[in-house]
Amino acid sequence: MRELRWVAVSVVGCLSAAPLADAHAGEVVPNPYAPTGVAPLIDFSNGPIPSRSVDSGVRFEDLDAYMNLPETTLPEDQVLRPGLPEGWVQVGDMVIPRAVAEGADVRTPRSLDQLHGPASAGKVMGPSAADLCAFPEATPDGIYSGEFNRGSEYPRRGTIYMNYTGGKLINGGENSAENMSSLALTGSTYPVYGGGEAKAVAVAQAVQTDFAELAVRVVYLKRPPKRLPYVMIMMGGSYKDTTSGPAGGVAPGADCEDSGLRNVCYAFVKGSAATDQSNVASQEIGHTMGLGHTYGKDRVMAYGYDTNSNIDMGFGDVCSPVYISMGQAGYCAGVNKCHCASDGTQQHDLRTLKAIYAPPGPDMVPPTISITSPADGASFLPSDLITVEVDPSDDYGGYGWDITVTDSNDTVLAEIVDYQIAQQFNFKGLAPGVYTITARVQDHSDQIGEHAIKITIEGEENETGAPTTSDSEAGSEAGSEAGSEAGSDSGSSGSDSADTSGEATDDGCSCRQGPPDAALALWAVPALLGLRRRKHP
């Protein structure tokens, strides 16, 4: 096995002066978007877990009312501008770890026990470099190594949500379902797209054409449900509506094998032609899927193409030199070595995407999920910590799952998405009574599988379903504490109100999918990476 040198990142600031491009050459950093595998803790001591809406209140069909309106952003002194996450820099329209900008390569931890211990036994086998690479012998160890956590398998199907209606975003982590973005401005409302409904549709159709060779759909009329992983691109606005510097768009980068299933990116497009807007949008989405810039002017990943051109570009189908700006080293070199005969400085857009995503076509097999623990009918004491374990599966990767907890009156007490693919949920503080736990899994054809069990919390149930203890103050404090934990780094809660129709109802509390900021703690993890994944017929 080749020796890999890992690096911890602790540098602050932007790429203001050109550092040595090879300062971290030969080093390897963990993919900052890899799910943590940490199971959420949900505390019901203070009653139902409240949810946070991500709905902007603007309907897509009302876009024409926002045409040519002035920008509506808060005054500078009322907007929190945290800047880029520590150790990250902006290169063009990408925000990437400084170590990557200075030569480090990226590996994706496939096994959850490489991060936080064996939180899940749900790993599956799948294609490795030998199956996916044009040059497997040149592919470094840890790239496409064949082991996957559930939901992240190759080949995947995917969804792109083009957000034209704006809304309040939260800075910190990457979680499209919860409006969380490492580049967002907390306290500011991202503006509604000003190009009108007809142009919005035309841009969306052009983006769909760019992804026509992949099983990736583009939606814009309704937001996908929270349980389903999707990329969100904010359409319109300005770089001033983010923490980035001047650019035509911006995206979090260095997701070299597309581990971040819920990234958020931006296309700062207003009055330009629909073709230009779609080119910008597809480039930013491509960055979230692990693509860097290339030289040339005839493909969406090209750096510096003519934005006044009316050419609707697509992804490149040849190996092209990676664009390296002053102070920047190569980008995703390990992946590039797999697809092109070079030292990692050439990129093949479509080969890279096709290694991840299945070809287009119908998906006739619905996903399945089972609650493997506790057993149906199990009983617990009010003081018990209850661990719910689930086993989701599908014939394509990219699926997501959640659980819903309801009481004997069919009142929904919580909906929790497994953002960190732990396949596990921890409960405490349930009052005496009978509860139904329903697990649901959804794929990108909006097929849903579910499994439900009942559990009993022993003790006398009062009329309100609240705990019979008189220590309400302690319960309130515990509930508040757990609600805060469940809505932050644990990525615990938020779903789609148990909607089984495949349409979102846009509720759920604040949760995040890892990094950039939350992931910085993972950068010093010296884990060599395996992969596993199953073959698909």
Side-chain angles (χ1 to χ4, degrees):
M1 178 174 287
R2 302 176 180 88
E3 180 181 355
L4 302 178
R5 190 156 64 100
W6 294 81
V7 59
V9 175
S10 60
V11 183
V12 183
C14 295
L15 200 59
S16 55
L20 294 175
D22 61 352
H24 292 285
E27 295 174 345
V28 174
V29 295
N31 190 308
Y33 306 98
T36 65
V38 175
L41 173 64
I42 303 95
D43 192 338
F44 292 95
S45 300
N46 201 35
I49 306 300
S51 61
R52 181 181 65 85
S53 174
V54 293
D55 186 5
S56 69
V58 178
R59 301 182 305 169
F60 180 85
E61 54 266 36
D62 294 333
L63 286 184
D64 287 351
Y66 292 84
M67 293 180 67
N68 304 316
L69 290 180
E71 292 185 22
T72 56
T73 56
L74 292 175
E76 289 285 332
D77 59 355
Q78 296 183 35
V79 177
L80 176 62
R81 296 190 180 279
L84 298 179
E86 182 179 340
W88 290 65
V89 295
Q90 183 174 348
V91 179
D93 63 337
M94 286 192 300
V95 174
I96 60 178
R98 188 181 185 106
V100 174
E102 296 178 354
D105 202 4
V106 177
R107 301 290 185 275
T108 296
R110 307 296 180 179
S111 174
L112 295 179
D113 58 14
Q114 292 173 328
L115 297 176
H116 295 283
S120 168
K123 295 182 283 293
V124 290
M125 295 299 293
S128 64
D131 307 297
L132 301 173
C133 295
F135 305 94
E137 69 286 347
T139 305
D141 293 323
I143 298 291
Y144 301 141
S145 52
E147 184 178 78
F148 296 82
N149 295 308
R150 294 294 175 91
S152 67
E153 305 98 312
Y154 296 168
R156 298 178 192 159
R157 303 177 77 90
T159 295
I160 297 165
Y161 171 54
M162 302 187 71
N163 186 333
Y164 290 100
T165 57
K168 286 189 175 295
L169 305 182
I170 297 175
N171 180 275
E174 292 287 310
N175 190 333
S176 54
E178 296 293 344
N179 275 5
M180 299 190 75
S181 165
S182 57
L183 302 173
L185 287 179
T186 298
S188 178
T189 298
Y190 201 86
V192 177
Y193 175 77
E197 182 179 357
K199 181 171 282 189
V201 172
V203 173
Q205 290 174 340
V207 171
Q208 182 66 83
T209 299
D210 292 338
F211 288 87
E213 295 187 52
L214 308 167
V216 175
R217 63 177 178 172
V218 174
V219 300
Y220 52 90
L221 293 175
K222 290 185 179 180
R223 192 170 188 146
K226 290 187 175 183
R227 75 169 72 92
L228 186 70
Y230 60 90
V231 175
M232 179 168 71
I233 181 163
M234 306 300 297
M235 299 296 298
S238 161
Y239 74 89
K240 295 180 181 179
D241 297 303
T242 71
T243 60
S244 76
V250 70
D255 194 358
C256 295
E257 294 174 77
D258 199 14
S259 292
L261 301 175
R262 298 177 182 271
N263 293 113
V264 179
C265 58
Y266 304 79
F268 308 132
V269 291
K270 297 179 181 179
S272 59
T275 51
D276 173 47
Q277 295 190 23
S278 65
N279 292 335
V280 172
S282 292
Q283 181 177 109
E284 303 313 323
I285 295 165
H287 287 322
T288 72
M289 295 176 175
L291 295 178
H293 295 123
T294 60
Y295 285 95
K297 296 185 177 182
D298 59 347
R299 62 192 72 92
V300 295
M301 299 313 301
Y303 188 85
Y305 57 76
D306 183 2
T307 58
N308 294 316
S309 171
N310 60 359
I311 300 174
D312 185 12
M313 303 174 188
F315 291 105
D317 60 356
V318 297
C319 289
S320 301
V322 174
Y323 179 85
I324 301 176
S325 62
M326 183 176 63
Q328 181 188 3
Y331 185 79
C332 292
V335 170
N336 290 340
K337 289 176 182 178
C338 156
H339 301 298
C340 295
S342 73
D343 58 357
T345 58
Q346 290 190 337
Q347 174 178 286
H348 194 297
D349 299 350
L350 283 176
R351 282 181 187 167
T352 304
L353 294 176
K354 287 180 177 180
I356 302 168
Y357 291 99
D363 181 7
M364 306 303 294
V365 180
T368 63
I369 193 168
S370 60
I371 299 174
T372 58
S373 180
D376 188 18
S379 295
F380 301 91
L381 297 175
S383 59
D384 287 344
L385 177 68
I386 303 169
T387 297
V388 178
E389 296 181 345
V390 298
D391 182 20
S393 183
D394 195 20
D395 59 336
Y396 293 101
Y399 53 94
W401 57 91
D402 63 6
I403 62 170
T404 302
V405 180
T406 55
D407 63 16
S408 56
N409 297 317
D410 291 329
T411 300
V412 176
L413 303 183
E415 297 162 320
I416 308 101
V417 178
D418 189 3
Y419 290 127
Q420 302 297 346
I421 61 174
Q423 295 181 234
Q424 191 179 95
F425 306 82
N426 295 316
F427 298 164
K428 68 176 183 178
L430 279 173
V434 177
Y435 298 89
T436 299
I437 300 174
T438 303
R440 293 186 177 89
V441 61
Q442 183 169 346
D443 65 18
H444 292 275
S445 295
D446 292 330
Q447 300 177 110
I448 294 175
E450 70 174 58
H451 180 217
I453 64 169
K454 290 185 182 296
I455 63 170
T456 298
I457 307 299
E458 296 178 353
E460 183 178 349
E461 183 177 6
N462 61 25
E463 292 182 0
T464 62
T468 55
T469 176
S470 61
D471 192 359
S472 59
E473 183 176 347
S476 174
E477 181 179 348
S480 174
E481 226 174 85
S484 174
E485 179 178 355
S488 59
D489 287 346
S490 64
S492 61
S493 54
S495 157
D496 55 70
S497 296
D499 176 28
T500 58
S501 67
E503 296 181 357
T505 55
D506 290 332
D507 59 355
C509 62
S510 171
C511 308
R512 74 175 62 181
Q513 153 135 352
D517 61 337
L520 290 172
L522 306 180
W523 281 69
V525 180
L528 282 183
L529 312 155
L531 262 219
R532 231 177 29 162
R533 110 169 241 213
R534 59 190 156 178
K535 298 277 187 184
H536 298 294

